[in-house]
Amino acid sequence: MITVYGDIISGNCYKVYLTSQLLNLPIRWQHIDILKGEAASAAFLSKSPLGKIPILALEDDQILSESNAIINYLAADSELLPKDKFHLAKLQQWQFFEQYSHEPFIAVARFIKHYLKMPADRQAEFEAKQVGGYKALQILEQQLTQTNYLVGEQLSTADIALYAYTHVADEGGFDLNGFPAIYRWMQRISEQPGYVGMQLKPEHQH
Ligand SMILES: N[C@@H](CCC(=O)N[C@@H](CS)C(=O)NCC(=O)O)C(=O)O
């Protein structure tokens, strides 16, 4: 069975869990507690030299890192990954946007506010993250006023990638009230068969 090493409180790890549940794929979840620094342990570094979660270990011990690569691997051959080359490139466009222009603002603001409880020496950084985070939300809103999902009318791993930190953006100090199209998109995703929220811990995470 495929093993995922992750911590569900991380949006990057949650993407992998959500994808596996939407596709009804059996996975073994190995909890790595990021707040306790377990991703930096020697045992974990031997699997993933970067010391970051999530990683996926195949049955033959091949390892895959980078959350968006992992969800695309899991979704290969499913309707969550388009076959048409333009739509596939659009999906990647959104996933690269997520990693460079969304996650570094919204996830980091959330980490500072929600998990570190806003230490004084990170207050200025937190405020700077708000600017980039709201810009990313505006871009999502603009697309989602035109289409139900990010790549047209079909749910894909682009939506899963962007949903992960957007749906907990309030924990990073972002007010989603001014973003009705994002709100409706989040509703649509949460109504998918197999959907699980971030608060539902994987079976193997205690
Ligand atoms: N680009 C990577 C980012 C992974 C990442 O930053 N993971 C964080 C948790 S969200 C982590 O492992 N942090 C632990 C650390 O840096 O010590 C991905 O998408 O998987």
Side-chain angles (χ1 to χ4, degrees), residues 105-126:
F105 300 99
I106 296 181
V108 176
R110 173 175 177 257
F111 188 69
I112 295 171
K113 182 171 190 284
H114 195 65
Y115 292 103
L116 300 183
K117 310 290 180 208
M118 199 69 98
D121 65 343
R122 295 194 72 173
Q123 178 89 36
E125 182 190 356
F126 172 81

Side-chain angles (χ1 to χ4, degrees), residues 37-96:
E38 287 177 6
S41 73
F44 187 74
L45 288 172
S46 70
K47 294 190 185 354
S48 172
L50 196 57
K52 295 214 182 279
I53 47 172
I55 63 165
L56 179 137
L58 300 181
E59 277 164 357
D60 62 3
D61 288 338
Q62 291 194 94
I63 302 275
L64 195 57
S65 59
E66 292 298 328
S67 57
N68 291 339
I70 294 172
I71 62 177
N72 291 350
Y73 174 80
L74 294 178
D77 304 324
S78 84
E79 59 183 17
L80 294 181
L81 202 75
K83 309 277 175 287
D84 164 76
K85 72 178 180 185
F86 181 75
H87 288 108
L88 184 57
K90 266 283 167 202
L91 173 144
Q92 290 165 335
Q93 174 195 306
W94 282 112
Q95 290 183 336
F96 287 122

Side-chain angles (χ1 to χ4, degrees), residues 10 12 15 34 39 51-54 66-68 99 103 165:
S10 141
N12 286 320
K15 291 172 194 176
I34 29 174
K52 295 214 182 279
I53 47 172
E66 292 298 328
S67 57
N68 291 339
Q99 285 286 292
E103 193 256 23
Y165 285 105

Side-chain angles (χ1 to χ4, degrees), residues 94 97 102 106 132-150 155 159 162-170 174-191 195:
W94 282 112
F97 162 82
H102 181 283
I106 296 181
Y134 275 115
K135 186 172 173 191
L137 292 171
Q138 288 292 357
I139 290 167
L140 282 183
E141 179 72 12
Q142 204 178 352
Q143 179 61 44
L144 293 167
T145 55
Q146 294 166 37
T147 52
N148 276 333
Y149 295 102
L150 291 170
L155 179 76
D159 300 289
L162 268 309
Y163 177 79
Y165 285 105
T166 304
H167 90 295
V168 288
D170 60 317
F174 297 94
D175 181 0
L176 290 183
N177 277 320
F179 298 93
I182 291 181
Y183 185 80
R184 286 192 300 272
W185 167 75
M186 294 194 305
Q187 272 295 116
R188 241 172 259 131
I189 293 174
S190 70
E191 287 163 3
Y195 173 86

